[in-house]
Amino acid sequence: MEGKAQVSSNMYAADLSSIKAAQDRISSHAHITPVLSSHTLDSLSGRKLYFKCECFQKGGAFKFRGACNAVFSLTDDEAARGVITHSSGNHAAALSLAAKLRGIPAHIVIPKNAPKCKVENVVRYGGQVIWSEATMQSREDVAAKVLKDTGAVLIHPYNDGRIISGQGTISLELLEQIPHIDTIIVPISGGGLISGVALAAKSINPSVRVLAAEPKGADDAAQSKKAGTIITLPETKTIADGLRASLGSFTWPVVRDLVDDIIVVEDREIIEAMRLCYEVLKVAVEPSGAIGLAAVLSESFRNNPSWDGCKNVGIIVSGGNVDLDVMWKSLNNGV
């Protein structure tokens, strides 16, 4: 399979022009993250791998790009009302930090089962935590009440053109840093990251393949891609807590049209990839951030002749906010 999809303007919630505008908007706030490589991991995979390390982004994850773009896109009148979101992870911290930089309040609805380290980041960056139950319905209900009470501006974690545009700045950087990349592997959950990456990458070079990596215990995107319509799961079970969301109305069309395939991996493969990142790259990454390496090392990818042409592979290491208590427990339980 060749990544030849063309990107047409006005078809999606973001495009190359909005992504370039986002890059200009966030350039004084966000880091240009490094790209790492390893001869050892190249040998294991049989390919040249280039790790775009968003774990070194402000807030410890790529989410700061989208949140920063959204917050600094607001008019002064909108910003004065503050912002609100519901999130169990890195978007919550990212929005808190972006709001802090602009000097406005951030109301963050967080489910009670959110990783401790990510809740602590929200507090560290000055976000006002409002607790909800673990269900998406509870998150949305609590957020709606806070929205009504405060008049704040809702910034969705992924189903928002400003968020997608901010995440797409990763592709602009990566393709400038490593112009000869032929494939990009991206974690997928709600789809904001991969939508931005795909829109930018395929606008610049339509032949670039964009592949998603998804955990078996939360493989709604793979099921959706196969079915041709959004599939939601009644429950998810994966160590990758950042990859449990479902695709949105803005992200699904991009995933449907521009993502070339979705590689599904087991949690044990994700944990092994985390170990390799730490031992070989000397980088601590969360499970969601290690899944790209897990995908490129998986048997399903390595034995698929469709991907023999993937010789220079960019891997988005999406975040480094590891909940060590959960990690040790998973290792001890032999996940």
Side-chain angles (χ1 to χ4, degrees):
M1 300 180 191
E2 294 294 327
K4 297 292 187 182
Q6 299 287 331
V7 180
S8 299
S9 296
N10 303 319
M11 285 183 61
Y12 307 108
D15 57 22
L16 186 60
S17 63
S18 71
I19 293 168
K20 288 183 174 179
Q23 187 177 48
D24 291 340
R25 189 173 292 116
I26 71 175
S27 61
S28 62
H29 303 290
H31 296 316
I32 296 175
T33 53
V35 175
L36 302 183
S37 60
S38 162
H39 292 303
T40 299
L41 296 179
D42 290 349
S43 296
L44 282 174
S45 66
R47 296 167 166 86
K48 291 287 292 181
L49 305 181
Y50 301 93
F51 296 87
K52 179 64 169 165
C53 291
E54 287 296 295
C55 48
F56 297 135
Q57 187 53 262
K58 286 184 179 177
F62 76 95
K63 290 282 191 177
F64 180 73
R65 294 175 183 266
C68 188
N69 185 51
V71 166
F72 283 90
S73 295
L74 299 175
T75 66
D76 289 342
D77 287 343
E78 289 171 329
R81 288 150 44 196
V83 291
I84 179 174
T85 197
H86 57 83
S87 169
S88 61
N90 290 324
H91 176 69
L95 189 64
S96 299
L97 178 55
K100 181 179 180 180
L101 290 174
R102 189 156 181 184
I104 63 176
H107 309 278
I108 312 296
V109 177
I110 300 180
K112 293 177 181 177
N113 66 342
K116 181 181 177 183
C117 67
K118 296 182 180 181
V119 177
E120 290 172 346
N121 282 343
V122 171
V123 175
R124 184 177 299 118
Y125 297 136
Q128 301 174 29
V129 175
I130 304 101
W131 295 103
S132 75
E133 298 303 321
T135 65
M136 183 59 70
Q137 188 63 55
S138 175
R139 286 166 51 163
E140 293 176 345
D141 289 347
V142 173
K145 182 179 185 304
V146 177
L147 189 67
K148 182 179 179 181
D149 292 345
T150 64
V153 178
L154 178 65
I155 308 293
H156 194 277
Y158 53 86
N159 204 43
D160 184 308
R162 300 163 297 185
I163 295 292
I164 294 170
S165 296
Q167 319 309 25
T169 61
I170 294 173
S171 275
L172 301 185
E173 289 179 14
L174 179 58
L175 292 176
E176 184 173 320
Q177 292 165 316
I178 313 292
H180 58 279
I181 274 180
D182 55 53
T183 306
I184 306 175
I185 299 182
V186 190
I188 191 168
S189 182
L193 172 59
I194 199 166
S195 293
V197 167
L199 285 165
K202 287 183 178 285
S203 294
I204 295 168
N205 180 2
S207 68
V208 169
R209 304 170 186 86
V210 177
L211 305 177
E214 187 172 44
K216 177 65 175 175
D219 65 344
D220 58 290
Q223 292 186 37
S224 299
K225 187 83 167 165
K226 184 177 181 180
T229 189
I230 294 179
I231 301 293
T232 57
L233 302 178
E235 63 178 356
T236 59
K237 185 178 181 182
T238 175
I239 190 176
D241 61 90
L243 302 180
R244 295 172 180 165
S246 299
L247 296 168
S249 58
F250 291 160
T251 59
W252 163 241
V254 184
V255 173
R256 179 193 63 208
D257 299 345
L258 301 181
V259 174
D260 294 286
D261 203 356
I262 299 177
I263 305 159
V264 177
V265 299
E266 301 285 350
D267 273 13
R268 58 178 173 75
E269 295 175 293
I270 297 173
I271 292 172
E272 174 62 13
M274 290 178 71
R275 184 184 68 81
L276 288 170
C277 285
Y278 186 79
E279 292 184 354
V280 179
L281 286 180
K282 309 304 180 187
V283 174
V285 302
E286 60 190 272
S288 305
I291 196 170
L293 177 58
V296 82
L297 294 178
S298 68
E299 292 297 319
S300 61
F301 180 76
R302 297 175 69 180
N303 294 334
N304 187 339
S306 298
W307 308 126
D308 286 347
C310 300
K311 301 298 185 184
N312 296 285
V313 181
I315 295 176
I316 309 302
V317 180
S318 57
N321 295 311
V322 185
D323 190 326
L324 293 176
D325 290 341
V326 173
M327 183 62 199
W328 301 148
K329 186 180 297 184
S330 298
L331 288 171
N332 290 334
N333 290 341
V335 170

